[in-house]
């Protein structure tokens, strides 16, 4: 697995991906407005807390390659900058993070995103394993509960142990492991809340205007200028070979698809993932 990972990094030039900004700025903003992820703070033990808007992410403003590029850049920035900085700040090695997954807005239309999400999760499984200490699920609607019931038995035991489904927005449970200031914006209410980024202002860690994304984008542009101080930055996605999902991932995706289709009442959803286009620019 290590050799395959090293080969993947060499073949896809992952070591320089943090010098490949997504431009122009409007395109990067469009990616951020449709792929909701951000760093909200740190746990009391110093672990970075990443917020992910599973239910509200639409992945419909750019090609798949831009979303994969953005995801890998966030991974690399975490491993090269965030985790070393946290280790120095807290005086001990910090090698993992926490993830809070907001299921607000999860609907049947999520079926069209399963293939992309499977690609992203496969990239993580094969090349960034054991980087997440715990997954906290919040604002879970019934459609998630139904899918989780059938998916949970398919997961490896070590993965199941990492997943905690919290009631409502998870505020009270999360405050046991992090301060209020580190809570994702969608967890700061009393009950179930929405992570929709049109509210919460500067606290919204999904927004490109949030300090985390400003620092990340500035870092990538600075690295690009160091590598090519004279040449203008070229527009275009940094294509990474899209991996084939492992058998376990494929089975889980098909199970979710099947479960979601049980809720379909002629809403015009695709009959199968096979016809989903993933290379359209």
């Amino acid at each position: 697995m290590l050799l395959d990972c090293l080969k993947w990094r060499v073949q896809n030039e992952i070591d320089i991906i943090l010098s490949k900004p997504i431009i122009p700025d409007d395109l990067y903003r469009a990616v951020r407005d449709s792929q909701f992820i951000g760093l909200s703070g740190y746990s009391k033990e110093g672990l970075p807390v990443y917020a992910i808007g599973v239910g509200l992410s639409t992945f419909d403003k750019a090609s798949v390659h831009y979303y994969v590029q953005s995801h890998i850049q966030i991974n690399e920035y975490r491993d090269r900058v965030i985790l070393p900085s946290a280790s120095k700040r807290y005086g001990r090695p910090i090698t993992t993070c926490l993830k809070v997954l907001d299921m607000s807005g999860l609907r049947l239309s999520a079926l069209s995103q399963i293939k992309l999400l499977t690609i992203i999760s496969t990239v993580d499984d094969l090349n960034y394993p054991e980087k997440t200490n715990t997954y906290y699920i919040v604002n879970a609607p019934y459609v998630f509960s139904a899918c989780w019931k059938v998916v949970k038995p398919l997961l490896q035991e070590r993965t199941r142990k990492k997943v905690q489904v919290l009631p409502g927005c998870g505020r009270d449970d999360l405050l046991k492991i992090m301060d209020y200031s580190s809570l994702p914006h969608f967890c700061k209410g009393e009950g179930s809340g929405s992570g929709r980024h049109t509210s919460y202002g500067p606290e919204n860690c999904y927004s490109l205007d949030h300090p985390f994304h400003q620092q990340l984008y500035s870092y990538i542009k600075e690295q690009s200028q160091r590598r090519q101080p004279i040449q203008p930055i070229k527009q275009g996605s940094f294509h990474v070979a899209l991996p084939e999902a492992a058998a376990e991932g494929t089975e889980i995706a098909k199970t979710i698809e099947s479960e979601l289709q049980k809720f379909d009442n002629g809403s015009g959803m695709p009959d199968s993932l096979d016809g989903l286009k993933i290379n359209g620019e």
Side-chain angles (χ1 to χ4, degrees):
M1 185 175 180
L2 176 60
L3 291 175
D4 287 342
C5 174
L6 293 174
K7 183 178 179 180
W8 173 80
R9 295 187 66 87
V10 171
Q11 291 179 340
N12 293 283
E13 298 185 308
I14 301 301
D15 285 350
I16 64 171
I17 198 170
L18 285 180
S19 64
K20 301 292 182 179
I22 296 175
I23 57 171
D25 292 355
D26 287 346
L27 175 59
Y28 188 63
R29 183 174 291 277
V31 171
R32 292 276 59 82
D33 285 346
S34 52
Q35 182 185 31
F36 290 161
I37 183 172
L39 178 70
S40 64
Y42 296 82
S43 72
K44 293 176 181 178
E45 294 183 349
L47 276 64
V49 178
Y50 283 88
I52 302 174
V54 177
L56 293 174
S57 294
T58 56
F59 300 103
D60 60 352
K61 309 264 184 212
S63 74
V64 164
H65 289 285
Y66 283 114
Y67 291 115
V68 173
Q69 175 183 350
S70 172
H71 179 78
I72 294 174
Q73 286 177 330
I74 290 174
N75 280 355
E76 290 290 315
Y77 188 72
R78 174 198 63 202
D79 293 350
R80 300 189 209 178
V81 178
I82 298 296
L83 290 176
S85 176
S87 298
K88 183 176 180 180
R89 177 181 174 185
Y90 288 89
R92 65 181 184 83
I94 294 177
T95 59
T96 60
C97 66
L98 304 177
K99 291 182 179 178
V100 183
L101 279 57
D102 178 23
M103 297 295 169
S104 296
L106 187 65
R107 296 179 178 88
L108 295 177
S109 56
L111 180 59
S112 64
Q113 304 163 17
I114 290 179
K115 193 162 189 175
L116 172 56
L117 294 174
T118 302
I119 290 170
I120 288 175
S121 65
T122 302
V123 167
D124 285 353
D125 290 343
L126 296 179
N127 305 291
Y128 302 95
E130 305 300 330
K131 284 294 184 178
T132 302
N133 183 285
T134 309
Y135 298 89
Y136 296 99
I137 310 293
V138 302
N139 296 324
Y142 178 74
V143 65
F144 167 80
S145 302
C147 291
W148 176 241
K149 184 177 180 179
V150 296
V151 167
K152 187 176 180 180
L154 301 178
L155 300 175
Q156 296 181 15
E157 183 179 0
R158 66 182 185 187
T159 302
R160 286 200 302 270
K161 289 181 177 179
K162 289 183 177 183
V163 179
Q164 295 189 27
V165 182
L166 305 181
C169 69
R171 172 182 170 176
D172 293 342
D173 291 284
L174 292 174
L175 283 175
K176 297 175 183 177
I177 58 172
M178 67 185 75
D179 295 331
Y180 181 83
S181 60
S182 290
L183 286 176
H185 56 280
F186 50 81
C187 294
K188 291 185 175 180
E190 293 294 340
S192 295
S194 170
R196 190 172 295 280
H197 72 291
T198 50
S199 32
Y200 301 102
E203 289 188 354
N204 173 18
C205 59
Y206 297 155
S207 171
L208 178 56
D209 299 319
H210 188 272
F212 166 71
H213 284 297
Q214 287 292 304
Q215 293 163 11
L216 168 61
Y217 201 41
S218 295
Y219 180 89
I220 293 173
K221 284 189 170 182
E222 288 173 5
Q223 296 301 310
S224 176
Q225 291 298 327
R226 289 182 180 180
R227 287 188 59 84
Q228 300 176 333
I230 300 177
Q231 298 177 349
I233 301 174
K234 295 180 180 180
Q235 184 176 351
S237 64
F238 185 82
H239 282 217
V240 174
L242 303 180
E244 291 293 329
E248 180 189 31
T250 301
E251 183 179 3
I252 290 173
K254 288 183 177 179
T255 301
I256 294 174
E257 179 183 11
S258 174
E259 196 65 24
L260 284 174
Q261 285 181 334
K262 292 179 182 179
F263 292 88
D264 184 16
N265 294 314
S267 59
M269 293 169 59
D271 294 329
S272 170
L273 296 179
D274 295 337
L276 183 66
K277 296 180 180 179
I278 65 171
N279 291 316
E281 295 292 341

